[in-house]
Every structure is written in C-alpha cells, then in structure tokens.
Amino acid sequence: MKSGPTIQDIAASAGVSKSTVSLVLQESPRIKAETAEKVREAARSLGYVYNRGAAALRGRRSTTIGMVINDLTNPFFVELLVAIERVLAHAGYTTLMAHTAESVATQTRVLRSMREQNVAGLIMSPALGTDDELPGEIQSWGIPLVLVMRPMGVDVDTVGVDNGYGFALATQHLIEQGHTRIAFAGNRKGYAVANQRREGFVSAMAKHELPVADEWIIDVELTPEGGRKAVRSIFEMKPRPTAVVCYNDQVAIGVLHELDRMGKRAGKALAVVGCDNVVAAEHTNPPLTTLSAGADKLGTIASETLLARLSETADDEKPTVQYFAVPVLVVRESSVGGGSHHASATSKARRGYERTEGN
Amino acid sequence: MKSGPTIQDIAASAGVSKSTVSLVLQESPRIKAETAEKVREAARSLGYVYNRGAAALRGRRSTTIGMVINDLTNPFFVELLVAIERVLAHAGYTTLMAHTAESVATQTRVLRSMREQNVAGLIMSPALGTDDELPGEIQSWGIPLVLVMRPMGVDVDTVGVDNGYGFALATQHLIEQGHTRIAFAGNRKGYAVANQRREGFVSAMAKHELPVADEWIIDVELTPEGGRKAVRSIFEMKPRPTAVVCYNDQVAIGVLHELDRMGKRAGKALAVVGCDNVVAAEHTNPPLTTLSAGADKLGTIASETLLARLSETADDEKPTVQYFAVPVLVVRESSVGGGSHHASATSKARRGYERTEGN
DNA sequence: CTGAAAGCGCTTACAG
DNA sequence: CTGAAAGCGCTTACAG
C-alpha cells in the first residue's frame, strides 16, 4: 500500500491550490486553459494516480457496479457477463463480480459485501430460491437494481426473455417436423423460469391438440448430467417421445452426448432443441437447434437500463423497465432428419448430412 | 446514493465515542464485552452498513482485488475465475473483474482503472502481445501481482502449467496408439505458450525418432474455427497425419466438429487430443482426450499466492513463486480406436464404443 | 477500558 | 478565474 502523489503534491508542484487541481482533473471549464495545462503537466511528471475511493467518499457517488451471477458454469451467463462488463467499462464504471453458484447464502453474503463496497448499482441474476422480498430490500438500500433472466415482479427493472413464446416456437418447430410425442426435459419444481418454459411447450402441444403424458415432463438437474438422465428415461417409455425440448443448451448438450453413447444420433433417433444459443451450440455433434435471444443484446440492454437509472434525477424518474426479448429459433441438425414415419423421408433429404467413411 | 447511519450515529445511540465504535467493529479485545454488545445492538437497530471505502482511505489498505482475464470465451479461464473469486471471497476480499478479450489497449485501460480503484493486489492472465516490461511496471506501483497461465519472467509470481511436459505426454500417448504422423494444431507465432506446447510435441516426436513435416505444424486461431481449418488442412496432406495434438480444448472441439461434418469420427479417422480438460470435454461427441492441470487447483494456488503476498511484512519477504502444475492426460474416446494399421486391432478393442443402432 | 484529535485524498459551496 | 475551508466516514496513535 505505497501511496503516491496526491492532488496536494500536484498543487505544490504547479503552484496552485488543490481546489484548482481537483477542478482540472474534472475538466471543469472554470479553469483557464493555461493553468489547466500546467496542472496536467505536473500530474504527469509526478506519476499521479486519481484516487476514486477518496472521490467517492467525499462526492458521495461511486463508479463501481456489482454484478451478481448465479451460474458461471453455464456459458450463457458468461456471455452476458462479458457484454455487461464491456458496456459498463465503456461508460467509465468498474465491475465488481461475484458468483453465487445458486446458493442463497452466498448471495446474501455477496450482497452485503457489495453494499459495503458502496456500489452505485447492481445487476443480478438471482440464485434459485431467492426470497421474493429481496429486490424490494435492495431498493430500500438506495441501490438501483436490474434483474436479468429471472423476473421477480413488476416493481423492479427486469431484462429477460419471453420464455413462453420461445418454447411454443420450439415445440411448434418439432410438430412441423412430424413429431407428435414430445418430451420436455428440465422441469424444476417451483422454479418460475422452468414453469414459463414448460407452459410454452404445453400450450403449443394443446394448440395442435396433441396430448402430453405426465412422464414426458421430466424433472432433471439443469446440467448436461440432467440431460443424460432425461435420455435414459425417454428410451424406457413406451411409446417413447421422438423429440425433446430442453430447458437450456446445457441440458441439450447432455442429451446429445447420451444419445451418442447409445450409438444413436440426435436428429435421427431423437429430435433435440435447446435454449440460449451458446457459442458451443454451433460446434456440437450434431450442431444444436436452439432458441436465441442474444446474450450480447440482453447484457447491453441490462447495462443501459442501469446506466439510465444512475443518471436520472429524483424528479424525472422513469417507470420500471420490463424488457423481454423475443427469441428466434436457430435450426441446426439436431432437430431435423428424424420425426414420425411419414415425415422422415422429406426431412432426411433436408439434412445435408453424409457419412463419407463407413463405421 | 442515500447514505445510511455512520459510526457517529451508532456512537450517539450507544452513548460512547466513535473511537469505541470503530474498535468494536474491528472486534478489538480492548473494548469491554458489555460495551461491545451495546454498540453492536445499536448498529443492528440502526441498520448500519460498514463503509469499506472510508476505511480503506483512512487505514491505507484495501479489500478489493483485481482480476484481469484475457479470454472469457474459453471456459477454462471461466473455471479459473470462479475458483479465484471463491477463494478471495472466502478470505474477505471482493473481486473486481475485467475482461481484455486479448486487447492490449483494453488491458492498459483496465489496469489504470484498477489502480484508481486502489486494488490491494492483481491476478492477471495477460493479453497476447503484452509488453515484457508490464509486470515490472505494475510492481513499481506497489501492487502485488500474480500472473496466471502466461509466464513473463522469473521476477514475478507466476502460476501456470508445465506445458512442455504436458504436450510431450499427449504426444507420447498418440505414439503408443501406433501413430507416427502427428500434427500440432494451434502454433501461433511469437506466442510463448504456443512455443512451449509445440516444443513439448516436437521433443516427444524426436525422442521416438519420428520426423515432423513442416506442414504438420499448423498455425490457426486458437478457437473452434481454427480447429476446423486445421482438419481441412490435414485431410489435404499426402500422406496425412493420423493424429493431432491441439493447442487447447477450444481448438479440439472445432476439430471434432469438422470431422463430424465430414462424416468422420474422431478416434477413428483422426486421433485428437486437447488441453485444459474443460468441463465440456467430457460431453463432446466423442468425449475428448485432454490434458488436465485442474483449473480449480490453479485458481486456488494463484489466489493463495497473492493472499500470502498481501499478508507478508516488508522484512519477511518471500522469494518469487514460480509454480507450474504437472498435467495428467485424461484419456477418452477421441484418441483411441484408430491409429496405424497394426495398432488398430488392439486399440479398437480398448475403445468400449459400440453403435447399437445403424446409421 | 475509553475518548479527543488528527488526518486519509478528495469535492464543493462560498468568497473574492 | 482561483483559493481557503469544511467535511465525506472511517482509523489510529495518544492521553487519561
């Protein structure tokens, strides 16, 4: 903790008061250009480093923003984090990062720490099981909050995805491929986002008057391992579903993998759709059909929502932002080429997949 | 920026001085238990939040640590970040996160920002092309620095991997599978880590008196896209390599994917080895053989190295840490089952891979 | 065992 | 256009 020169040192070196130095550093137009240049020169030659902590203490404002993420093992949240950090850095803010790994206890600890660090605002993707009162409590601390991906009511700025629409779209796509028995993998009980996604799936099935057996709604962990379990369940069902809509790409990757282990291929033996369009979905074998809402876009909007909040004054307060991106379906090989008997001929032709070497 | 109660308010409420409050908050044994309890009760009922910024300013120490990462699109670095954040949080530090995306300019900006934020220490995985003088410069700021994954000389604490050993090990494994023509994908010019990895590969080939054609050392981006290009190159070579050692898992995933597109299977048509053992390597199709040094372990050691530096006093200064983990090879299907003609029979038997459904 | 005082490095009215 | 003064919320010798 060696401490370098302060504005006092610059003031002495430039022959002005520290008030003047402070104003120059803030690029105030009140200081004569000539004086300003003299001060800047002194700062440069002394190797001065601005102390944001001191400025925040005195000026009662902060330039750090807390980012609380529930699951960094999911690349989607990493993409979101990267986008947010980029936008905030560009706006002159530094990002305090914390990972909760879905632990509410860790989240509580982390939020206290961020409050002590005096963050100007918070972007949070809450851990599963977070108390509904938490957003209100955070706001009562006077810290603007933007929730990402996991909505918790209309009283807090929220940026997420229209999950119901997306999962209906995904299901519709599978129905168009000729599938009539479709499973949903990743139904976690009491978890709002899983409910939305399941409802989207169920509504599309209902719209086409297709029944949904209870066992087709599969409750597994939202990980590749969960996806693997789902596949094993599906292949024990009689008659078994010929397609599966997965909670997210992590689950879908597990599904693709378990199929491969069984010597089967996604798209042929079982049509598979994921959600998030993580970068890796393009390079899975076979490539994964998935819903895309754009992590980069969502992160940008979340950041901008928070930045807008930070720059608004008490009397021009804007209404709460509730932004839900409309996903698109990116169709790749994992969902085409199989399907019911009468559909398989056409979809096989579409597949564009050829083995040029036997095995 | 609404400001809550301060130690002054607690002092008034508890009927003591703010010195006493401060000492109680620091759990000083100098304060009588009875008084301390009274103070804590007052703090609780006022909803007091400790102001770390003010404490850092006055006490000349800080509890934030900066983490500068070159590439978060690579899951390995995410695993590293998560481990580091966990250990630091446990030790009472908050992590300031910044992503440079391999841009030296961004890195410069980010380091200035972290210095202004008065970080107690820095953990950095430098961007490609970082000037050799940078670590020395950072240390001259009085900020302890730990370099991860990318060594830049012996004068700075460094935690990384013994790449030469690892890549020799990977190459040795392929030779044992009967391969004699082996390619190396991901040789970036002028990049120290790529040089180490290539040298490991070359040395193992030399040890077995196997020639290495120039064209087998393939210079591609260190991404899945680079891996795909490498495969296309390999299949144009005559005679072509039957195995490839990849710079990392990202490249290897691209290799697996391009092979699949060509209707070929890794392990049969081309043996593939990666490096990093990212979580996803377990779920690729086929599963990826890869070098593992343990992101979690490396992150833990890097954090502990920094924490040790932070707690040492001027006169018990320890020598520079140069820790290079010895990787192990995790053998999965991508590297077994193919190979030269006389080896293929045995390795096929070892493979444990069966297609139960034709395609 | 506790309190009064000085001060960390800044910013911001206010005065001139 | 510039400076003197007060103060942000803490900590830390020092005195008693």
Side-chain angles (χ1 to χ4, degrees), chain A residues 14-278:
Chain A
V16 296
S17 74
K18 66 193 173 96
S19 312
T20 301
V21 174
S22 178
L23 290 168
V24 170
L25 294 175
Q26 295 172 70
E27 300 184 36
S28 161
R30 285 166 50 197
I31 306 298
K32 202 165 38 163
E34 199 184 333
T35 313
E37 190 41 53
K38 199 169 56 182
V39 168
R40 272 191 287 267
E41 177 50 35
R44 220 172 293 133
S45 73
L46 291 173
Y48 172 74
V49 176
Y50 187 68
N51 183 329
R52 286 199 186 280
L57 179 58
R58 177 57 236 242
R60 302 169 143 286
R61 58 200 152 58
S62 134
T63 57
T64 70
I65 286 176
M67 172 91 216
V68 181
I69 299 264
N70 59 306
D71 183 14
L72 286 173
T73 66
N74 182 343
F76 176 80
F77 287 104
V78 178
E79 294 170 30
L80 201 64
L81 172 64
V82 166
I84 288 170
E85 196 267 341
R86 180 171 38 70
V87 175
L88 293 180
H90 196 257
Y93 287 89
T94 317
T95 305
L96 275 174
M97 201 254 346
H99 181 215
T100 63
E102 302 287 18
S103 154
V104 172
T106 302
Q107 182 172 275
T108 303
R109 199 165 37 66
V110 144
L111 285 171
R112 177 162 40 72
S113 164
M114 293 203 163
R115 203 179 166 199
E116 291 182 357
Q117 298 283 358
N118 189 30
V119 292
L122 276 169
I123 298 180
M124 173 163 89
S125 171
L128 288 180
T130 298
D131 193 292
D132 285 344
E133 305 300 318
L134 185 64
E137 193 186 336
I138 291 173
Q139 287 170 322
S140 79
W141 300 344
I143 301 178
L145 168 69
V146 175
L147 247 34
V148 283
M149 306 321 292
R150 298 183 170 177
M152 298 188 70
V154 297
D155 295 334
V156 52
D157 290 331
T158 305
V159 174
V161 174
D162 188 338
N163 286 303
Y165 171 85
F167 274 66
L169 183 67
T171 307
Q172 171 88 29
H173 161 73
L174 291 169
I175 294 170
E176 282 166 7
Q177 302 293 308
H179 297 279
T180 56
R181 297 189 305 277
I182 306 176
F184 174 81
N187 178 52
R188 295 261 89 172
K189 284 202 189 65
Y191 174 17
V193 172
N195 289 343
Q196 290 173 2
R197 295 185 178 183
R198 188 193 61 238
E199 285 310 321
F201 158 73
V202 168
S203 73
M205 293 295 274
K207 188 172 155 203
H208 290 82
E209 298 180 346
L210 293 171
V212 177
D214 285 351
E215 64 174 359
W216 299 353
I217 307 283
I218 307 170
D219 187 330
V220 286
E221 310 90 276
L222 308 177
T223 60
E225 205 45 57
R228 297 185 56 186
K229 281 188 201 158
V231 170
R232 290 192 290 265
S233 303
I234 286 170
F235 279 84
E236 280 170 5
M237 298 175 189
K238 304 191 165 71
R240 73 159 175 90
T242 57
V244 59
V245 182
C246 300
Y247 176 81
N248 65 13
D249 289 347
Q250 293 294 96
V251 172
I253 283 169
V255 167
L256 298 188
H257 179 60
E258 186 66 15
L259 286 170
D260 190 81
R261 277 177 62 97
M262 295 167 75
K264 303 183 194 299
R265 187 156 177 105
K268 279 193 61 121
L270 183 72
V272 182
V273 179
C275 174
D276 285 348
N277 195 24
V278 299

Side-chain angles (χ1 to χ4, degrees), chain B residues 17 19-20 30-32 35 58 60:
Chain B
S17 74
S19 313
T20 302
R30 286 167 48 197
I31 306 296
K32 201 167 34 163
T35 314
R58 178 55 236 245
R60 302 168 143 285

Side-chain angles (χ1 to χ4, degrees), chain B residues 130-258:
Chain B
T130 297
D131 192 292
D132 285 343
E133 305 299 317
L134 185 65
E137 193 187 335
I138 291 172
Q139 287 169 322
S140 79
W141 299 343
I143 302 179
L145 168 69
V146 174
L147 247 32
V148 283
M149 306 319 294
R150 298 183 171 178
M152 298 186 71
V154 296
D155 295 334
V156 52
D157 290 332
T158 306
V159 174
V161 174
D162 187 339
N163 287 303
Y165 172 85
F167 274 66
L169 184 67
T171 307
Q172 171 88 28
H173 162 71
L174 291 169
I175 294 170
E176 281 166 8
Q177 301 294 307
H179 296 279
T180 55
R181 296 189 305 279
I182 305 177
F184 176 80
N187 179 52
R188 296 260 88 175
K189 283 202 188 65
Y191 174 19
V193 173
N195 289 343
Q196 290 175 1
R197 296 186 178 182
R198 187 193 61 239
E199 285 310 320
F201 158 72
V202 168
S203 73
M205 293 294 275
K207 188 172 158 202
H208 290 82
E209 298 180 346
L210 292 170
V212 177
D214 283 353
E215 65 175 359
W216 298 353
I217 308 283
I218 307 170
D219 187 333
V220 286
E221 309 91 277
L222 307 177
T223 60
E225 205 46 59
R228 298 183 57 186
K229 281 188 202 159
V231 170
R232 290 193 290 264
S233 301
I234 286 171
F235 278 84
E236 280 170 7
M237 297 175 189
K238 305 191 166 69
R240 72 161 176 87
T242 57
V244 59
V245 182
C246 299
Y247 175 83
N248 65 11
D249 290 347
Q250 293 294 96
V251 171
I253 283 169
V255 167
L256 299 188
H257 179 58
E258 186 66 17

Side-chain angles (χ1 to χ4, degrees), chain B residues 33-313:
Chain B
E34 197 185 335
T35 314
E37 189 43 52
K38 200 168 57 180
V39 168
R40 272 191 285 267
E41 178 50 35
R44 220 173 292 134
S45 74
L46 290 173
Y48 171 74
V49 176
Y50 187 67
N51 183 331
R52 286 198 185 281
L57 178 58
R58 178 55 236 245
R60 302 168 143 285
R61 56 198 155 58
S62 134
T63 57
T64 69
I65 284 174
M67 170 92 217
V68 181
I69 299 263
N70 60 305
D71 183 14
L72 286 173
T73 67
N74 182 345
F76 176 80
F77 287 105
V78 177
E79 293 170 30
L80 201 65
L81 171 65
V82 166
I84 289 170
E85 195 268 340
R86 181 171 39 69
V87 175
L88 294 179
H90 196 257
Y93 287 88
T94 317
T95 305
L96 275 174
M97 202 258 341
H99 181 216
T100 63
E102 302 287 17
S103 154
V104 172
T106 301
Q107 182 171 276
T108 304
R109 199 165 38 64
V110 145
L111 286 171
R112 177 161 39 75
S113 163
M114 292 203 163
R115 203 179 165 198
E116 292 181 356
Q117 299 283 358
N118 189 31
V119 292
L122 276 169
I123 298 180
M124 172 162 90
S125 170
L128 289 179
T130 297
D131 192 292
D132 285 343
E133 305 299 317
L134 185 65
E137 193 187 335
I138 291 172
Q139 287 169 322
S140 79
W141 299 343
I143 302 179
L145 168 69
V146 174
L147 247 32
V148 283
M149 306 319 294
R150 298 183 171 178
M152 298 186 71
V154 296
D155 295 334
V156 52
D157 290 332
T158 306
V159 174
V161 174
D162 187 339
N163 287 303
Y165 172 85
F167 274 66
L169 184 67
T171 307
Q172 171 88 28
H173 162 71
L174 291 169
I175 294 170
E176 281 166 8
Q177 301 294 307
H179 296 279
T180 55
R181 296 189 305 279
I182 305 177
F184 176 80
N187 179 52
R188 296 260 88 175
K189 283 202 188 65
Y191 174 19
V193 173
N195 289 343
Q196 290 175 1
R197 296 186 178 182
R198 187 193 61 239
E199 285 310 320
F201 158 72
V202 168
S203 73
M205 293 294 275
K207 188 172 158 202
H208 290 82
E209 298 180 346
L210 292 170
V212 177
D214 283 353
E215 65 175 359
W216 298 353
I217 308 283
I218 307 170
D219 187 333
V220 286
E221 309 91 277
L222 307 177
T223 60
E225 205 46 59
R228 298 183 57 186
K229 281 188 202 159
V231 170
R232 290 193 290 264
S233 301
I234 286 171
F235 278 84
E236 280 170 7
M237 297 175 189
K238 305 191 166 69
R240 72 161 176 87
T242 57
V244 59
V245 182
C246 299
Y247 175 83
N248 65 11
D249 290 347
Q250 293 294 96
V251 171
I253 283 169
V255 167
L256 299 188
H257 179 58
E258 186 66 17
L259 286 170
D260 190 81
R261 277 176 62 98
M262 294 166 75
K264 302 184 194 300
R265 188 157 177 104
K268 279 196 59 122
L270 185 71
V272 183
V273 179
C275 173
D276 286 347
N277 195 23
V278 299
V279 172
E282 206 179 324
H283 300 111
T284 55
N285 295 335
L288 181 63
T289 295
T290 183
L291 289 163
S292 171
D296 196 81
K297 191 178 79 178
L298 290 168
T300 301
I301 292 170
S303 310
E304 285 170 350
T305 302
L306 184 61
L307 291 172
R309 238 5 131 194
L310 292 176
S311 65
E312 82 188 356
T313 57

Side-chain angles (χ1 to χ4, degrees), chain A residues 289-312:
Chain A
T289 295
T290 184
L291 289 163
S292 170
D296 195 82
K297 190 179 80 177
L298 289 168
T300 301
I301 291 170
S303 310
E304 285 171 350
T305 301
L306 184 61
L307 291 172
R309 238 4 130 196
L310 292 175
S311 65
E312 81 188 359

